[in-house]
Amino acid sequence: MGTIKFTHERWLNIYRYATTGIQLIFIALNIYSIVNPSARFSIGTTELAPYILALSLVHIIYFTLIFNTVARQSIRLATVIIVCLISISLISIIHATGQMHSYWLIGWGLLCVLSGMFGIYIATGTSLLMAAYVIFLIVSGNYSYVVVEEISVAIATFILCTLSWLIWRKTFVDPDNLVIQELTGKLISKEQQSTILIQAITDGIIVTNTKGKISLMNPAAANLTEWSVNEALGLDAHIVAKLREQDKTEIPESESPFTKVLVNKRAVTETYQLLGREGSTRTVSLAISPVIIDKTDELTGAVAVLRDVSAAYAEEARRADFISTASHEMRTPVAAIEGYLALALNEKISNIDLKARSYLEKAQSSTRHLGKLFQDLLTSAKAEDGRLTSHPGVVEMGTFMEQLSEDLKFSAEKKGLHTEFVIGTAGSTTNATNHSNVRPLYYITVDPDRLREVITNIFDNAVKYTDSGKISLGLTGDARVVQIRMTDTGPGIPADDIPHLFQKFYRVDNSSTRTTGGTGLGLFICRKIVELYKGQIWVESQIGQGSTFFVNFPRMDSVEAIKLQGEQIQKASRTLPTIT
């Protein structure tokens, strides 16, 4: 069966209220006919008056009490029921007031003209209803000849219903298509709004499909890459947005951030050099996010936002250069002051009273803190502009961490804190001091001095802010990642401060940090060093429950790591001086 079509809802509302008003007139006439059967405007057949009255009352009750309930399921069905009720009521009135000579045939004609607004089915049903009534009249009257009046009314009904359908069909609305059209209109409107917004954004926007092909690019991105939008569409994103590392090293296609996002389904945010098609070079902040459907976890593409930060980066480089120069120059006099203070405190060289000694010791402590600040400033400046000294090599983390934990525990014991080091996979950790167990080997490629700096910095912070309890160092991993974790029983870090903890000069503002010295650069330097070796660092903490710092590094294959270690040993032996 085809879809039933209706005209616009405003016509249906007019029809419903008009027919209900007519039924009220029928009720008044029926009551009048029952009281005064011989009156001029009464219904002639008093036997039918109660029946017609009942039909009209059913119509009124349905419209006032039941219509809204049915309409919530289907407004069209609710209206069709009204059509049926008014049609039956009107034919009953016609039958009671002279049949084919009834003046109510005018109302029937109007009903036929309006039937077409409900589509071909209702128009045909109205014609068949009159045809059935005519057949009833002919059969019940035992006519032996064709009754012209009855047949004429039936034909007129058919013609009026047909004309009504032809007139109203131009305004027909398919309910299913109406929903689709409304949704389509909304989608088009949303798409137009999105397009306008994307075109207006000053940052470059590049949208790719699951194969890394560009499906959308705004004018800002076209300006940055020096590709026209039409030329870029359909090309690989890494061809149009040609990126290099900050140290100008080429990025292979397999390591392209566009490729990584689509393969790993994880966002990438980093600063790169962007090579334009015409040869220009810009420093851009690039943020690429995968587009994933939540319910199915299906990847549909990626969205990249490029921002030209060349000016800001140049300004930052100038500031870093100033800090680097100033820190380097200031370290010399600070070192000299510290040296003279050490001589003054040396009992073999000078004699001073206890009060003067306490002043000098405080001055020496402040000088050391100042020297640490200058050193951190210098290191942070080098980390930002890529001048940080690094000599990466293969490191077996189990042995490295065990030795380092032994060196670090003394500073914790001075404060009365217990330390422990555990190694192994999650759920099967082993105390490092128990050598009877076979422990896994975790190889990574880092500069051991830089790695020591990271772990020492985090450990010193844990000791500094933990008044009692213990500090746990752990080492775990899987086939891809080696993870270092450090847990303390300190006061914890507020949730609002955690996202900013690894920013430069950021310090948590509470009573413990105000009374404990610090430069606000240590964790920033840690993050820079970890990222230098493609690692990740983050913290999980709750107030009153301590903090856990995590550091992840890519894990090396054991066979490859042992081979590289052998090459490093051979290389080192060749560089040793020969003793003769």
Short mmCIF file of all heavy atoms in Angstrom, two decimals, residues 462 465-467 488-495 497-498 501 508-510 512-513 539-549:
data_model
loop_
_atom_site.label_atom_id
_atom_site.label_comp_id
_atom_site.label_asym_id
_atom_site.label_seq_id
_atom_site.Cartn_x
_atom_site.Cartn_y
_atom_site.Cartn_z
N ALA A 462 59.19 14.91 45.86
CA ALA A 462 58.43 14.03 46.76
C ALA A 462 58.95 14.13 48.18
O ALA A 462 58.19 14.20 49.15
CB ALA A 462 58.50 12.59 46.24
N TYR A 465 57.97 17.61 49.82
CA TYR A 465 56.59 17.88 50.22
C TYR A 465 55.95 16.75 51.02
O TYR A 465 54.77 16.82 51.33
CB TYR A 465 55.74 18.16 48.98
CG TYR A 465 56.18 19.40 48.24
CD1 TYR A 465 56.79 19.33 46.99
CD2 TYR A 465 56.00 20.67 48.80
CE1 TYR A 465 57.21 20.46 46.31
CE2 TYR A 465 56.41 21.81 48.13
CZ TYR A 465 57.01 21.70 46.89
OH TYR A 465 57.43 22.83 46.23
N THR A 466 56.71 15.70 51.34
CA THR A 466 56.17 14.60 52.13
C THR A 466 56.76 14.66 53.53
O THR A 466 57.97 14.56 53.72
CB THR A 466 56.50 13.23 51.48
OG1 THR A 466 55.99 13.22 50.15
CG2 THR A 466 55.90 12.10 52.28
N ASP A 467 55.89 14.79 54.53
CA ASP A 467 56.36 14.91 55.91
C ASP A 467 56.56 13.56 56.58
O ASP A 467 57.42 13.42 57.46
CB ASP A 467 55.35 15.75 56.73
CG ASP A 467 55.29 17.19 56.24
OD1 ASP A 467 56.34 17.70 55.78
OD2 ASP A 467 54.21 17.80 56.30
N ASP A 488 54.17 9.02 46.40
CA ASP A 488 54.51 9.53 47.73
C ASP A 488 53.26 9.57 48.60
O ASP A 488 52.14 9.37 48.12
CB ASP A 488 55.14 10.92 47.64
CG ASP A 488 54.21 11.96 47.03
OD1 ASP A 488 53.09 12.10 47.54
OD2 ASP A 488 54.61 12.62 46.05
N THR A 489 53.44 9.80 49.87
CA THR A 489 52.33 9.91 50.82
C THR A 489 52.16 11.35 51.29
O THR A 489 51.80 11.60 52.44
CB THR A 489 52.57 8.98 52.02
OG1 THR A 489 53.84 9.30 52.62
CG2 THR A 489 52.58 7.53 51.60
N GLY A 490 52.45 12.27 50.39
CA GLY A 490 52.37 13.69 50.72
C GLY A 490 50.95 14.20 50.74
O GLY A 490 49.97 13.44 50.70
N PRO A 491 50.77 15.53 50.73
CA PRO A 491 49.44 16.14 50.88
C PRO A 491 48.58 16.05 49.63
O PRO A 491 47.39 16.32 49.68
CB PRO A 491 49.77 17.60 51.21
CG PRO A 491 51.11 17.83 50.58
CD PRO A 491 51.86 16.53 50.72
N GLY A 492 49.17 15.68 48.50
CA GLY A 492 48.40 15.64 47.25
C GLY A 492 48.37 16.97 46.54
O GLY A 492 48.76 18.01 47.09
N ILE A 493 47.89 16.95 45.32
CA ILE A 493 47.86 18.15 44.47
C ILE A 493 46.41 18.45 44.10
O ILE A 493 45.68 17.55 43.65
CB ILE A 493 48.69 17.93 43.19
CG1 ILE A 493 50.14 17.56 43.55
CG2 ILE A 493 48.67 19.18 42.30
CD1 ILE A 493 50.95 17.08 42.36
N PRO A 494 45.94 19.68 44.24
CA PRO A 494 44.57 20.03 43.85
C PRO A 494 44.32 19.74 42.37
O PRO A 494 45.21 19.92 41.54
CB PRO A 494 44.48 21.53 44.14
CG PRO A 494 45.54 21.77 45.18
CD PRO A 494 46.65 20.82 44.86
N ALA A 495 43.11 19.29 42.07
CA ALA A 495 42.77 18.91 40.70
C ALA A 495 42.93 20.08 39.73
O ALA A 495 43.31 19.88 38.58
CB ALA A 495 41.34 18.38 40.64
N ASP A 497 45.16 22.34 39.74
CA ASP A 497 46.58 22.63 39.47
C ASP A 497 47.24 21.59 38.57
O ASP A 497 48.27 21.88 37.95
CB ASP A 497 47.35 22.72 40.79
CG ASP A 497 46.96 23.95 41.61
OD1 ASP A 497 46.99 25.05 41.05
OD2 ASP A 497 46.63 23.78 42.79
N ILE A 498 46.68 20.38 38.51
CA ILE A 498 47.33 19.29 37.78
C ILE A 498 47.57 19.61 36.30
O ILE A 498 48.65 19.37 35.78
CB ILE A 498 46.53 17.99 37.95
CG1 ILE A 498 46.68 17.48 39.39
CG2 ILE A 498 46.98 16.92 36.97
CD1 ILE A 498 45.86 16.24 39.70
N LEU A 501 50.76 21.80 35.95
CA LEU A 501 51.89 21.46 36.80
C LEU A 501 53.21 21.45 36.04
O LEU A 501 54.26 21.74 36.61
CB LEU A 501 51.65 20.11 37.45
CG LEU A 501 52.39 19.83 38.76
CD1 LEU A 501 52.01 20.87 39.81
CD2 LEU A 501 52.09 18.43 39.27
N VAL A 508 52.18 25.27 42.66
CA VAL A 508 50.92 25.15 43.39
C VAL A 508 50.95 26.13 44.56
O VAL A 508 51.91 26.19 45.31
CB VAL A 508 50.74 23.70 43.91
CG1 VAL A 508 49.46 23.60 44.73
CG2 VAL A 508 50.73 22.73 42.75
N ASP A 509 49.87 26.92 44.67
CA ASP A 509 49.83 27.96 45.70
C ASP A 509 49.11 27.44 46.94
O ASP A 509 47.89 27.47 47.03
CB ASP A 509 49.10 29.20 45.15
CG ASP A 509 49.16 30.37 46.14
OD1 ASP A 509 50.00 30.32 47.05
OD2 ASP A 509 48.36 31.31 45.97
N ASN A 510 49.89 26.91 47.88
CA ASN A 510 49.33 26.55 49.18
C ASN A 510 50.39 26.75 50.26
O ASN A 510 51.52 27.18 49.97
CB ASN A 510 48.80 25.10 49.19
CG ASN A 510 49.87 24.09 48.82
OD1 ASN A 510 51.04 24.24 49.18
ND2 ASN A 510 49.47 23.05 48.09
N SER A 512 52.18 24.71 51.99
CA SER A 512 53.40 23.90 51.92
C SER A 512 54.36 24.42 50.86
O SER A 512 55.57 24.43 51.06
CB SER A 512 53.03 22.44 51.63
OG SER A 512 52.37 22.32 50.39
N THR A 513 53.84 24.90 49.74
CA THR A 513 54.73 25.40 48.69
C THR A 513 55.29 26.76 49.05
O THR A 513 56.39 27.12 48.60
CB THR A 513 53.98 25.49 47.34
OG1 THR A 513 52.85 26.36 47.49
CG2 THR A 513 53.50 24.13 46.89
N VAL A 539 50.79 13.16 36.01
CA VAL A 539 50.63 12.93 37.44
C VAL A 539 49.17 12.63 37.75
O VAL A 539 48.26 13.17 37.11
CB VAL A 539 51.12 14.14 38.27
CG1 VAL A 539 50.29 15.37 37.98
CG2 VAL A 539 51.09 13.83 39.77
N GLU A 540 48.96 11.76 38.73
CA GLU A 540 47.63 11.48 39.26
C GLU A 540 47.68 11.73 40.76
O GLU A 540 48.57 11.23 41.44
CB GLU A 540 47.20 10.04 38.97
CG GLU A 540 47.05 9.74 37.48
CD GLU A 540 46.70 8.29 37.20
OE1 GLU A 540 46.54 7.52 38.18
OE2 GLU A 540 46.60 7.92 36.02
N SER A 541 46.74 12.51 41.26
CA SER A 541 46.81 12.89 42.67
C SER A 541 45.44 13.27 43.19
O SER A 541 44.57 13.71 42.43
CB SER A 541 47.78 14.07 42.83
OG SER A 541 47.88 14.46 44.19
N GLN A 542 45.27 13.06 44.49
CA GLN A 542 44.08 13.51 45.21
C GLN A 542 44.52 14.14 46.52
O GLN A 542 45.47 13.67 47.15
CB GLN A 542 43.12 12.35 45.47
CG GLN A 542 42.46 11.80 44.22
CD GLN A 542 41.43 10.74 44.53
OE1 GLN A 542 41.12 10.48 45.70
NE2 GLN A 542 40.91 10.11 43.51
N ILE A 543 43.80 15.16 46.92
CA ILE A 543 44.13 15.85 48.17
C ILE A 543 44.06 14.86 49.34
O ILE A 543 43.07 14.14 49.51
CB ILE A 543 43.17 17.03 48.41
CG1 ILE A 543 43.37 18.10 47.33
CG2 ILE A 543 43.41 17.64 49.79
CD1 ILE A 543 44.74 18.74 47.34
N GLY A 544 45.14 14.83 50.13
CA GLY A 544 45.19 13.98 51.29
C GLY A 544 45.56 12.54 51.01
O GLY A 544 45.68 11.73 51.94
N GLN A 545 45.77 12.17 49.72
CA GLN A 545 46.09 10.78 49.38
C GLN A 545 47.38 10.65 48.60
O GLN A 545 47.62 9.63 47.96
CB GLN A 545 44.93 10.17 48.58
CG GLN A 545 43.62 10.13 49.35
CD GLN A 545 42.52 9.44 48.57
OE1 GLN A 545 42.79 8.66 47.68
NE2 GLN A 545 41.28 9.74 48.92
N GLY A 546 48.21 11.67 48.63
CA GLY A 546 49.50 11.58 47.96
C GLY A 546 49.40 11.78 46.45
O GLY A 546 48.33 12.08 45.90
N SER A 547 50.54 11.58 45.78
CA SER A 547 50.63 11.79 44.33
C SER A 547 51.44 10.66 43.71
O SER A 547 52.31 10.08 44.35
CB SER A 547 51.29 13.14 44.01
OG SER A 547 50.63 14.20 44.67
N THR A 548 51.13 10.37 42.45
CA THR A 548 51.90 9.40 41.69
C THR A 548 52.28 10.01 40.35
O THR A 548 51.40 10.43 39.58
CB THR A 548 51.10 8.11 41.45
OG1 THR A 548 50.76 7.52 42.70
CG2 THR A 548 51.94 7.11 40.65
N PHE A 549 53.58 10.10 40.09
CA PHE A 549 54.08 10.61 38.82
C PHE A 549 54.41 9.41 37.92
O PHE A 549 55.00 8.42 38.38
CB PHE A 549 55.33 11.46 39.02
CG PHE A 549 55.04 12.84 39.52
CD1 PHE A 549 54.77 13.07 40.86
CD2 PHE A 549 55.01 13.92 38.65
CE1 PHE A 549 54.49 14.34 41.33
CE2 PHE A 549 54.74 15.19 39.10
CZ PHE A 549 54.47 15.41 40.44
#
